[in-house]
Amino acid sequence: MDPVTIDTTKFRPVRKKPETALEKLEDTGLISTVLAARERKGLIFLTTVDQVFNWARLSSLWPVTSGLACCAIEMMAVAMAHHDIARFGMEIFRASPRQADLMFVAGTVTKRMAPRVKQLYEMMPDPKWVISVGSCANTGGPYHESYAVLRGVDNIIPVDVYIPGCPPRPEAWLYGVLQLREKIKNEGYGAKWGLNK
Amino acid sequence: MMIANAYELIVYILTTIGVYEPINNIFMSFGLDDILKIIIMLVEIAILFAFVLVTIMFLTWMERKVVAMVQSRYGPMVTGPRGLLQPVMDGVKLIGKEDIIPEKADRWIFTLAPFIVFVPALLVFIPLPFGESLIISDLRVGLLYIIAISAISPVAILLAGWASNNKYSLLGAMRAVAQDISYTIPLALAAIAVVLFTSSLSTVDIVNAQAGTWFGIIPKWFIFIQPLGFILFLIASIAEMGRIPFDFQESEQELVAGFFTEYSGMKFAMFFLAEYAHLFAVSGIIVTLFLGGWNGPVIPFIPVQITSLVYFLIKTYAVIFFAMWLRDTVPRVRIDQLLNLGWKIMIPLALLNLLITGFVVTAGVIQ
Amino acid sequence: MNAAEELKQALPASVVSTGMQVEKPLVLVKKEDLLEVAAKVKEMGFDHLSVVTGVDYVDRFEVIYNFFSYGKKENLVLKVVLDHEAPEVGSLTSLWKGADWLERETYDLVGVRFTGHPNLTRILLPEGWKGHPLRKDYDMSVEQFVTIGEDGEDIVSTDGSNLLRRK
Amino acid sequence: METEELLINMGPVHPSTHGVLRFKLRMDGEIIKECTVVMGYLHRGTEKLAEMKTYLQFIPYTDRLDYISAMPNNYAYVKAVEELAGIEVPLRAEYIRVLTVELNRIVNHLVFMGSLLLDLGASTAIMYGFREREKALQLYEMLCGARMTFSYFRIGGVRDDLPDDFMSKLNEFIKDMEKRIEDYKGLINGNEIFMMRMKGIGVISAEEAINYGMTGPSLRGSGVNYDIRKIEPYSIYPDLDFKACVRPECDSYARYMVRIDEMEESLHILRQIADTIPKSEVVATQKYGIAPLTGMPYTAQTYFPRIFIPPAGEAYSRIEAPKGELGFYVVSDGTTKPYRVKIRSPSFCNLTAIPKMVVGLKIPDLIAAFGTIDVVLGDVDR
């Protein structure tokens, strides 16, 4: 069929008018579509609470200060004036993992460092997220063949977002952070504790 | 009619709009004489604490914005207009965090310590005059009360550091205690020099003594007759607050996070809040003692309660801004240098200041 | 006359041969006499020990010391040849404190033992690592994992089951 | 009174160990009795990897040694290989090399200044340092498209010629930097608290510094006038007018000041290069090696052969990197891959002196002294 002759008005999706309170809320765009769908299926019960907590969590992700290698310098660059991660409320780098929400695995995870990275992750309180930054943390990168390097940090801890690059540019870094924010937006309240999977 | 404190102010307002008597009569008819008094007191305390908590939240936002300004950045921008909702989000997030108590920690003391830090931080506000008659209680030993209450927090910090069973926490706590003890003395001595002029420990009396001007231009603030005392008090109070350049209790680069290294979630938030409550309180005290409190030019047609509150807040925020500015500008001194400064320079100077003030007051040069 | 020939004249019994490494005078020294020669080298004014290198030549090990003199602004290279079965040579830590870590590193990665070293332990790899990676016969197919023991020190094993998420 | 010694473990994840270094401290109260440095948490086996890669393939790995200043690493490695093979580098390439290395020295010292002040608790200096660093990185992006790991050097030259508007941008940067350095001096150098923290801390005498094998600005802070650019001149340094910055005080403050002075000297060098850079090729065009796949000798070409066989032999070559003497010991067995590459990293050798330096000091002093040694863990552990 000739694409020009297609009557596009026929294909316009007809949107249901919002009726329930949930649908109205969804219509405003304030809450996540994914969560609303889950709510409708009876998968979760705490949508509004979810929304509030998720918004709070994605708005105040405090990273733990743990630079491993080259990428840590770019982590500093992201936090500095030019790129300013503080715009997302993320400038509070906590030195103690007990007060952090997010771990940037920024750099090569060597065999010797691996148990410490794992320990650091375990010390963080739930809910917690991990962003694996750079080729080394993702897969081993240029050091894939080395005897002393772990081939990917996801071998030891769960990773939420991978950022490629060696090291990733700060823009890529910020994009990764935005991806994580998207992910958190669609999480259930109990998702991190395995309640509603 | 002279209104002494916030309680009387509320009673006055209620009487003016004509609801005090009927309500009181209802309670009186049931034989509950004091119930309205208690209700009003609870309300005023609730208002105070709500005000303080909102101020603390605002201060965390302000701190981040001031840092950003100094460092040519923007600071929080995404959450709310200009990032104003950032502190709310931080709070909600911290409520939803897992609360970890380390295996080897002393559970009870570990849990208790944040409360012991947080409660005195709020209690300090009771004798603080926010404005003409805007004071919860004009204690006759107000100044002494403030200094005494502030001295509780090192105990709690020591408890927190010890209970965490972590070497960094313990070191941070010991530093905090050493610092607080050595700086409370010059702090108190500098304050006493002011008291010599007013012959009263009541905060309201101190503020009232600073009303008026010399030659119509210079306000009669104690900063002008006690410049040395002001500087000593300022330095000592920054040390008491534990802010850069004297932030040994947490000193991130040395002791990870100091005495609250092991704290997470809401307990950590309480330390955080107490810190900012302390900042606000101490700035308020500096204003009360040296910067004329709520005194300022009278503006006609506006109730003096409102103008005085505005003057007080402007001055307090100026002091807070100074503390934040200092934090972003200077490095941290070393703990032994700090103690040297406290014992070898500040205390002798404070004593000298007291001595001179005594002579001046006795000779009657001023007043 | 360069520093190498000077050294040969001073200690003819210890020096095997002299030569050049690109533009730097090179001296091949008997391994038994290394300490004696090094003391002489330091006396000659070579106060900066730049680097200690160990090379595995399959049939032998070579340890190369690069010196520099701040006073004379000259270079000097010492070389000792060790047999492959039991590579052992005297330690220079008593003369140059900077040799401490350099020798530990050479021991760690190449496996040359420095007799008389105060603390000859592994420096870059954890204690207990099997093999010396820079030897040509190092087995790259064996994966070694590190875990933390009770005292916070490293434990090396080939079993990564309590570290890895997927078995 | 009975006292107990306190054992404190700093790191490997600690805010002020600049990465993953670990100090084991035996303390008496707040006084350090003994300091043991534990390293290797970033040991990536670079030297072993060198034996598996061709000469050209190894260049990116040198970037990741001292990741703050990658250009000097590139330079030291290619210089060693060139010495080994006797390759002559075109003059313009030498100018570009020195330009990039000196620019990197400024970047390195900016990061040093920022992180030192951050370790001391002043959070603003690092923002200013990184603000200027960002401008220098824009220049690097024009050159090679990368911000940190450049891989810009090639054996026998550099990868590409300078872009057209590079020189004007460089001149802007130089003008800007001159003002900024004055700012830093005004903000930091005279600060009372800064002086209190730095003066007389981490003292190491000239003899000891030499004995411990310290090099670079850390050694010049002890009053030893030792700058490889001056003493063993390489490349175009003999033609340039600059001085080695030396301070006699031997303490942390001297080491800090040497670096601030060096930034000015580097700017001075950049200015001279911007004025006098000649026009020529940027890679060596002589015929080197044999193409192993075809067996045919290379013809003269505009780029250096990807697979390159230097003659069998060994060479040790060193340059003055921002952190000190950076040397590469390259052994060739006449194949396409190096037989052995040994990296003499300045951070590793300078760190040797730390345990000596900090005995009797306190933890804050350890951090100050360690900060002025300017260590990068990628360089220490390799």
Side-chain angles (χ1 to χ4, degrees):
Chain A
M1 210 193 319
D2 184 12
V4 181
T5 59
I6 297 174
D7 183 5
T8 47
T9 52
K10 276 184 190 164
F11 294 94
R12 183 174 294 159
V14 183
R15 284 196 66 175
K16 223 177 99 195
K17 275 220 154 132
E19 281 159 15
T20 61
L22 181 72
E23 280 165 359
K24 279 177 186 158
L25 204 59
E26 192 193 336
D27 204 44
T28 59
L30 276 174
I31 67 165
S32 146
T33 316
V34 177
L35 276 190
R38 277 198 224 162
E39 162 93 6
R40 246 178 257 117
K41 284 191 178 169
L43 289 173
I44 41 170
F45 317 102
L46 297 157
T47 319
T48 319
V49 179
D50 269 354
Q51 296 296 328
V52 172
F53 272 94
N54 284 349
W55 192 22
R57 280 170 184 165
L58 67 90
S59 306
S60 100
L61 286 166
W62 294 354
V64 61
T65 323
S66 74
L68 297 178
C70 329
C71 295
I73 305 298
E74 284 299 68
M75 176 160 81
M76 286 157 86
V78 171
M80 295 305 148
H82 198 84
H83 297 281
D84 196 17
I85 208 168
R87 288 173 293 156
F88 305 104
M90 289 175 69
E91 84 271 45
I92 305 184
F93 277 82
R94 296 304 308 178
S96 164
R98 298 268 190 232
Q99 293 137 21
D101 314 301
L102 168 64
M103 181 155 81
F104 286 119
V105 183
T108 319
V109 184
T110 59
K111 293 270 174 60
R112 205 172 177 189
M113 200 60 204
R116 271 128 187 134
V117 171
K118 194 177 168 119
Q119 196 180 37
L120 199 68
Y121 175 75
E122 280 161 359
M123 277 165 86
M124 285 160 61
D126 274 322
K128 52 194 171 186
W129 296 272
V130 176
I131 296 186
S132 161
V133 183
S135 310
C136 296
N138 292 346
T139 63
Y143 296 96
H144 189 85
E145 293 169 306
S146 169
Y147 55 88
V149 172
L150 195 76
R151 290 158 190 83
V153 73
D154 49 4
N155 281 323
I156 51 169
I157 53 174
V159 175
D160 292 87
V161 175
Y162 299 85
I163 306 177
C166 190
R169 299 176 57 86
E171 293 87 345
W173 201 297
L174 290 176
Y175 183 69
V177 168
L178 291 177
Q179 293 297 306
L180 182 66
R181 285 165 67 98
E182 274 307 306
K183 182 176 180 183
I184 295 171
K185 205 188 255 176
N186 293 325
E187 266 175 1
Y189 178 71
K192 274 284 168 181
W193 297 320
L195 291 182
N196 46 22
K197 273 184 181 155
Chain B
M1 184 191 152
M2 188 66 202
I3 303 166
N5 54 33
Y7 169 73
E8 286 176 21
L9 182 71
I10 294 175
V11 172
Y12 174 74
I13 293 170
L14 290 180
T15 319
T16 325
I17 59 173
V19 294
Y20 181 77
E21 281 301 315
I23 297 173
N24 200 22
N25 286 342
I26 294 169
F27 283 119
M28 293 282 265
S29 65
F30 288 106
L32 302 164
D33 292 5
D34 288 339
I35 200 83
L36 187 59
K37 193 175 178 183
I38 292 169
I39 289 173
I40 292 176
M41 279 185 170
L42 287 178
V43 166
E44 63 175 308
I45 288 171
I47 292 173
L48 172 78
F49 285 172
F51 174 74
V52 169
L53 284 176
V54 170
T55 308
I56 291 169
M57 295 232 248
F58 178 74
L59 284 181
T60 60
W61 176 84
M62 178 179 160
E63 170 111 3
R64 289 162 83 167
K65 279 293 190 187
V66 171
V67 177
M69 212 165 75
V70 173
Q71 296 172 349
S72 60
R73 300 189 279 129
Y74 278 119
M77 289 298 281
V78 176
T79 317
R82 316 288 302 176
L84 260 175
L85 285 178
Q86 193 63 53
V88 183
M89 292 300 150
D90 289 341
V92 174
K93 179 206 78 180
L94 283 170
I95 289 170
K97 289 292 276 188
E98 183 188 3
D99 186 18
I100 296 176
I101 298 177
E103 195 185 355
K104 288 175 182 166
D106 190 324
R107 291 187 76 88
W108 283 105
I109 299 179
F110 187 81
T111 315
L112 203 59
F115 293 91
I116 307 182
V117 170
F118 188 60
V119 172
L122 291 181
L123 286 180
V124 174
F125 289 97
I126 284 177
L128 194 68
F130 287 89
E132 170 98 50
S133 71
L134 290 177
I135 179 168
I136 299 291
S137 172
D138 177 17
L139 300 173
R140 273 188 294 170
V141 288
L143 198 55
L144 195 64
Y145 169 86
I146 288 171
I147 291 170
I149 288 285
S150 312
I152 295 176
S153 74
V155 179
I157 287 171
L158 190 60
L159 287 180
W162 180 78
S164 300
N165 203 353
N166 176 322
K167 283 165 186 168
Y168 286 123
S169 301
L170 188 61
L171 266 183
M174 303 230 272
R175 283 175 170 199
V177 172
Q179 183 183 347
D180 269 28
I181 288 172
S182 37
Y183 276 79
T184 306
I185 299 168
L187 188 85
L189 287 176
I192 285 170
V194 170
V195 173
L196 284 185
F197 285 106
T198 60
S199 327
S200 165
L201 286 166
S202 155
T203 46
V204 173
D205 287 347
I206 292 170
V207 175
N208 281 330
Q210 300 177 67
T213 52
W214 289 298
F215 321 116
I217 312 162
I218 310 166
K220 277 191 176 172
W221 296 352
F222 283 130
I223 182 174
F224 297 114
I225 41 181
Q226 281 285 329
L228 181 60
F230 173 72
I231 291 165
L232 289 175
F233 195 89
L234 189 67
I235 294 174
S237 51
I238 286 170
E240 277 254 317
M241 285 187 274
R243 296 178 64 82
I244 284 177
F246 308 118
D247 69 329
F248 296 99
Q249 20 191 305
E250 34 182 311
S251 54
E252 187 181 311
Q253 282 77 20
E254 291 153 29
L255 302 178
V256 186
F259 65 90
F260 52 68
T261 303
E262 292 286 349
Y263 281 89
S264 65
M266 216 42 220
K267 293 195 188 111
F268 162 69
M270 287 175 91
F271 284 116
F272 214 64
L273 292 179
E275 200 177 294
Y276 283 93
H278 209 124
L279 171 66
F280 185 55
V282 170
S283 307
I285 294 161
I286 291 173
V287 170
T288 306
L289 284 179
F290 293 99
L291 298 176
W294 36 260
N295 284 311
V298 179
I299 298 169
F301 311 121
I302 300 176
V304 70
Q305 279 82 9
I306 293 174
T307 53
S308 58
L309 180 64
V310 170
Y311 291 139
F312 178 82
L313 288 182
I314 288 173
K315 289 175 190 175
T316 310
Y317 274 101
V319 176
I320 290 171
F321 180 79
F322 173 77
M324 287 176 177
W325 185 18
L326 194 69
R327 191 200 114 142
D328 307 329
T329 313
V330 292
R332 179 187 302 123
V333 298
R334 218 169 53 208
I335 179 77
D336 58 322
Q337 291 167 340
L338 172 89
L339 298 182
N340 273 342
L341 181 72
W343 290 100
K344 293 185 185 161
I345 300 172
M346 300 264 295
I347 291 180
L349 275 181
L351 284 169
L352 184 71
N353 183 42
L354 197 60
L355 192 71
I356 296 169
T357 313
F359 275 120
V360 169
V361 171
T362 318
V365 178
I366 299 172
Q367 284 170 352
Chain C
M1 185 170 73
N2 65 23
E5 278 153 25
E6 212 174 297
L7 198 65
K8 181 162 187 162
Q9 277 184 359
L11 297 164
S14 309
V15 174
V16 179
S17 66
T18 61
M20 294 296 274
Q21 186 200 62
V22 192
E23 284 162 2
K24 304 177 173 76
L26 181 141
V27 184
L28 191 62
V29 181
K30 279 185 195 158
K31 66 177 179 191
E32 302 83 33
D33 301 339
L34 178 73
L35 265 178
E36 193 190 334
V37 176
K40 176 70 187 162
V41 164
K42 194 171 186 189
E43 201 183 296
M44 280 161 66
F46 288 92
D47 39 10
H48 176 48
L49 172 59
S50 189
V51 68
V52 178
T53 315
V55 188
D56 176 11
Y57 281 105
V58 185
D59 58 333
R60 65 186 194 277
F61 280 102
E62 281 183 9
V63 179
I64 300 119
Y65 300 84
N66 285 65
F67 294 101
F68 185 75
S69 161
Y70 288 120
K72 290 193 274 183
K73 310 203 187 335
E74 274 178 34
N75 281 293
L76 181 66
V77 187
L78 290 193
K79 196 184 250 192
V80 286
V81 178
L82 315 174
D83 56 296
H84 199 268
E85 268 56 58
E88 263 195 9
V89 72
S91 165
L92 300 189
T93 33
S94 54
L95 296 165
W96 288 275
K97 286 187 184 127
D100 185 346
W101 287 10
L102 288 168
E103 287 178 350
R104 272 176 76 187
E105 192 204 328
T106 311
Y107 163 68
D108 188 356
L109 299 182
V110 188
V112 176
R113 296 198 65 86
F114 291 89
T115 49
H117 191 288
N119 177 29
L120 194 66
T121 49
R122 284 185 180 271
I123 185 165
L124 294 177
L125 290 168
E127 206 58 48
W129 192 274
K130 286 189 189 64
H132 301 280
L134 287 180
R135 286 193 180 186
K136 294 290 170 187
D137 57 357
Y138 179 72
D139 187 359
M140 295 284 278
S141 62
V142 178
E143 187 112 14
Q144 302 190 43
F145 293 98
V146 181
T147 46
I148 313 177
E150 284 288 305
D151 54 347
E153 298 302 324
D154 304 296
I155 299 168
V156 183
S157 67
T158 47
D159 167 33
S161 54
N162 50 2
L163 183 72
L164 301 181
R165 286 166 67 214
R166 286 184 286 275
K167 302 291 159 4
Chain D
M1 200 169 76
E2 206 171 301
T3 54
E4 198 181 323
E5 275 179 346
L6 190 60
L7 286 169
I8 283 202
N9 182 34
M10 260 175 78
V13 179
H14 187 279
S16 55
T17 50
H18 295 214
V20 285
L21 189 63
R22 175 171 160 211
F23 294 111
K24 282 199 279 187
L25 304 174
R26 204 156 56 76
M27 315 259 302
D28 179 12
E30 288 240 0
I31 311 276
I32 298 168
K33 288 274 196 155
E34 189 191 332
C35 168
T36 317
V37 185
V38 184
M39 64 186 91
Y41 295 99
L42 193 52
H43 178 63
R44 304 188 273 201
T46 312
E47 290 175 12
K48 185 73 177 175
L49 285 170
E51 297 170 14
M52 305 175 190
K53 309 281 168 190
T54 63
Y55 284 91
L56 201 65
Q57 278 174 336
F58 186 61
I59 292 177
Y61 289 89
T62 61
D63 287 332
R64 287 156 183 82
L65 292 173
D66 176 359
Y67 34 79
I68 295 175
S69 48
M71 286 290 187
N73 297 345
N74 282 181
Y75 191 12
Y77 171 66
V78 296
K79 182 164 172 274
V81 177
E82 280 158 10
E83 252 176 50
L84 185 65
I87 296 172
E88 296 243 331
V89 181
L91 195 59
R92 184 174 174 84
E94 286 288 6
Y95 268 84
I96 295 174
R97 283 176 172 192
V98 173
L99 187 154
T100 53
V101 166
E102 292 303 322
L103 193 58
N104 218 325
R105 198 182 305 277
I106 296 174
V107 169
N108 180 74
H109 291 347
L110 282 171
V111 175
F112 156 80
M113 181 199 73
S115 47
L116 173 67
L117 266 287
L118 187 68
D119 288 349
L120 297 183
S123 51
T124 303
I126 191 164
M127 297 279 173
Y128 291 172
F130 268 72
R131 187 181 61 194
E132 267 63 78
R133 175 178 181 265
E134 209 67 43
K135 286 179 186 143
L137 292 192
Q138 280 167 9
L139 291 175
Y140 280 136
E141 279 189 69
M142 291 177 74
L143 271 185
C144 53
R147 284 165 52 89
M148 276 174 60
T149 44
F150 309 112
S151 306
Y152 180 58
F153 285 47
R154 290 291 182 271
I155 297 157
V158 293
R159 200 183 73 196
D160 288 312
D161 205 344
L162 299 176
D164 292 340
D165 51 347
F166 183 83
M167 276 302 162
S168 60
K169 288 273 164 61
L170 180 70
N171 284 328
E172 273 172 41
F173 174 77
I174 293 170
K175 279 209 190 74
D176 187 50
M177 225 22 233
E178 279 165 3
K179 269 181 268 160
R180 296 300 182 191
I181 290 178
E182 289 306 311
D183 283 357
Y184 303 146
K185 284 183 174 171
L187 281 171
I188 302 164
N189 292 9
N191 188 310
E192 277 299 319
I193 298 176
F194 182 68
M195 307 276 258
M196 269 160 76
R197 288 296 303 277
M198 304 302 282
K199 285 223 160 166
I201 299 301
V203 177
I204 187 153
S205 69
E207 291 76 41
E208 273 175 332
I210 290 171
N211 204 329
Y212 274 103
M214 287 171 82
T215 46
S218 308
L219 180 65
R220 291 196 286 279
S222 288
V224 181
N225 190 349
Y226 172 59
D227 189 329
I228 302 174
R229 292 176 294 173
K230 280 279 180 203
I231 282 183
E232 215 180 55
Y234 54 93
S235 188
I236 55 160
Y237 281 112
D239 307 336
L240 295 171
D241 165 48
F242 69 101
K243 65 176 196 298
C245 308
V246 184
R247 289 256 166 177
E249 292 96 339
C250 306
D251 58 3
S252 295
Y253 188 69
R255 291 194 284 273
Y256 165 79
M257 282 307 292
V258 165
R259 289 185 169 90
I260 297 291
D261 293 344
E262 269 194 6
M263 278 206 265
E264 290 195 320
E265 287 303 317
S266 291
L267 271 185
H268 187 50
I269 293 176
L270 285 184
R271 234 174 278 132
Q272 292 173 48
I273 291 177
D275 292 343
T276 59
I277 186 163
K279 286 238 180 296
S280 74
E281 297 293 325
V282 291
V283 278
T285 47
Q286 298 128 291
K287 297 168 193 166
Y288 295 107
I290 301 291
L293 298 178
T294 59
M296 296 288 285
Y298 279 108
T299 49
Q301 53 196 340
T302 51
Y303 60 89
F304 202 74
R306 296 225 164 93
I307 296 166
F308 153 74
I309 305 172
E314 54 194 53
Y316 176 65
S317 157
R318 50 199 197 138
I319 65 157
E320 181 76 16
K323 293 182 169 60
E325 176 184 326
L326 174 65
F328 275 76
Y329 191 93
V330 182
V331 181
S332 160
D333 59 348
T335 59
T336 53
K337 296 174 181 179
Y339 188 77
R340 169 91 165 89
V341 173
K342 161 85 189 179
I343 303 153
R344 193 268 184 212
S345 58
S347 303
F348 181 80
C349 296
N350 288 354
L351 197 62
T352 320
I354 276 281
K356 165 81 179 62
M357 223 183 251
V358 298
V359 170
L361 302 179
K362 301 174 183 62
I363 291 183
D365 297 332
L366 163 66
I367 285 158
F370 176 68
T372 53
I373 293 289
D374 192 15
V375 162
V376 159
L377 264 296
D379 206 18
V380 174
D381 293 343
R382 280 154 288 159

